[in-house]
Amino acid sequence: MSFNIVVLAKQVPDTRNVGKDAMKADGTVNRAALPAIYNPEDLNALEQALRLKSKIGDATVQVLTMGPARAAEIIRESMYRGADGGFLLSGREFAGSDTLATSYALAAAIRRIGKVDLIISGRQAIDGDTAQVGPQVAEKLGLPQITYAEEILDLSNGTITVRRRLERGVEVVKGPLPMVVTVNGSAAPCRPRHAKLTLKYKNAMSVSEQQASSTDYTDTYHTFTIPEWGVADIEHEAQWLGLSGSPTKVKQIESVVFTAKESKQLTAADTDIEELIKELIANHTIG
Amino acid sequence: MNNIFVYLEIEDGIVGDVSLELLTKGRQLADQQKCKLEAVAAGYQLDKIGAQVFPFGVDTLYLADDKRLAPYTTLPHTSLLVNLFKEEKPQIALMGATSIGRDLGPRVSSALFSGLTADCTSLEIGSYEDKKAGKVYTDLLYQIRPAFGGNIVATIVNPDCRPQMATVREGVMKKEIRDPEYKGKTKKLEISKYVKDEDFIIEVIERHMEKSKLNLKNSHIIITGGYGMGSAENFKLLYDLASVLGGEVGASRAAVDAGFAEHERQIGQTGVTVRPKLYIACGVSGQIQHIAGMQESAMIISINSDPHAPINTIADYVITGTVEDVIPKMIKYYKKNSK
């Protein structure tokens, strides 16, 4: 029986390259100004999954993502790099989910996928930096977890051995499968897109993307349809989804404005620097 | 009942700074809420933990002392907290935003269906009005954290679920002894009541923990280089100045990403938070993420060839000039004027 790996991945706004127009005048985030990208650590996770797949041979890598219709891009991007396919979990019922409601929905979708031996995700997403979804999914599924993984060292006899990268060192741990593993940014970077796979899957679309597109795909040979699941496709209780399934509420959002100080302006001239140094010595800041 | 709990991180019998910082904050919150501050220690040979934490105002210390609980693994520590929290029903539970707290916290919150906010930079008590439900909640924990790469600050509340859980990074809160003579009670927990044998399924095969050689957090003087330093070579100027002034060298994320300095020198939201007596920013533009990690420095000097660098707005002194020109002069005049 094949070894089934599910990678959890998220499409995120690229908060690392925030320009001046990222915030609107009213203090809200201007999402349009931020490109949507594959969450960086999820790419590290995908790489670990693809490495295992080539090592094991008889293995599948499926990518599960939750998000709006355009998040199907995550599945495509994964297939360009070697994933077998994936699932897009989408619907307005999921809107407003905090990490707990997200993990509830993802756990339900993983149960729907069926026999899963290993779940791998990035440690955290750059839009929230919480690192919570991986462990919360593990708890919901009743599975053990290994977080902060840098490399999967071994997989044999139903156990997995992983090197973890922690703030002040490394740890090698071993545990039984099935397991949830979350991968650090210090892990090996993801392989680039494969040219043939990119050509093969560039028309892979979810049903809603096919409907929105003007091209008639009915005759297209070899079109891969990305499965799109809504709330009706997963076993759930509505109260645990979206806003009602989210114990945390946002009370207030403020855009960050640092209070400007009245700065003393100096030049690089010798007199200016010497005056400053004398002042710092006199008030015991240095010396 | 309904007290404030802090989970203690322990390495080699020593309680981590991040936990002591949380105890300091927890004590403040407990005074405000007129409740007790309680701490949980899980590990092995914990006899010396009490002496370390009681001075921070801990009223009750729960000890889970078992050889199998050290080093930390996820499931036993999770079971312990989940079952203890079910009994004690804390109103607030705090943990370090470390590789332990961020592994344990989400697991516990998922099991208890309680909200957790990661990486808080400030914790306060306040009220919240749920306009839709027409309800007003008082004495909630405001969990304040940056989001969206530091461009916004969000105040998060957990109106209905308990405990209200939050993690905080090391160095963000102050560490302050309440009273060296403070006496709390110790309660030893019977492990088998809280943790199942099946929880011990992860085996730690190897473990190498290094004491960080670098101590940015406790340096009084920090000289930080940004992307504007241009090269690792130019960073040498900063080490020169640091050794003359008795400080440490930090780096912005951009400088670390460019390979000018090691990751452990990174200051800012995804690095270390510092509050030194003197902060000299060299060629640092002042991304919001960086400022979040150093804005509480007592004095800030910015050296930048760009007079409009954003960091200049929060600097006490702005020197417009190149680092290559200014730093050797600073060294020269320091040597000349100091005794």
Side-chain angles (χ1 to χ4, degrees), chain A residues 147 167-168 251 268 270 279, chain B residues 99 103 155 210 317 329 333:
Chain A
T147 55
E167 300 94 336
R168 287 184 186 132
K251 181 188 170 281
D270 284 70
E279 202 177 319
Chain B
S99 58
D103 183 83
T155 303
E210 286 158 22
Y317 294 90
K329 284 181 187 170
Y333 290 114

Side-chain angles (χ1 to χ4, degrees), chain A residues 124 128-129 136 139 143 147 167-168 172 174 249 251-252 254 261 263-264 266 268 270 274 279, chain B residues 99 102-103 107 109-110 145 153 155 157 203 205 207-208 210 313 315-318 329 333 336:
Chain A
Q124 63 188 35
D129 290 324
Q136 287 176 334
E139 175 68 28
L143 296 180
T147 55
E167 300 94 336
R168 287 184 186 132
V172 176
K174 185 175 165 180
K249 311 285 173 206
K251 181 188 170 281
Q252 194 188 345
E254 279 173 289
K261 288 182 189 168
S263 320
K264 261 195 199 168
L266 307 174
D270 284 70
E274 185 164 16
E279 202 177 319
Chain B
S99 58
R102 294 168 112 237
D103 183 83
R107 197 86 207 192
S109 87
S110 186
R145 75 176 304 248
V153 171
T155 303
V157 290
E203 190 191 337
I205 301 173
R207 205 157 180 276
H208 303 285
E210 286 158 22
T313 62
D316 299 277
Y317 294 90
V318 173
K329 284 181 187 170
Y333 290 114
K336 183 180 155 196

Side-chain angles (χ1 to χ4, degrees), chain B residues 79-100:
Chain B
S79 293
L80 181 82
L81 283 195
V82 167
N83 292 320
L84 183 64
F85 286 177
K86 279 181 182 165
E87 278 175 16
E88 297 297 325
K89 303 189 170 36
Q91 54 167 308
I92 293 170
L94 307 176
M95 301 179 193
T98 59
S99 58
I100 291 179

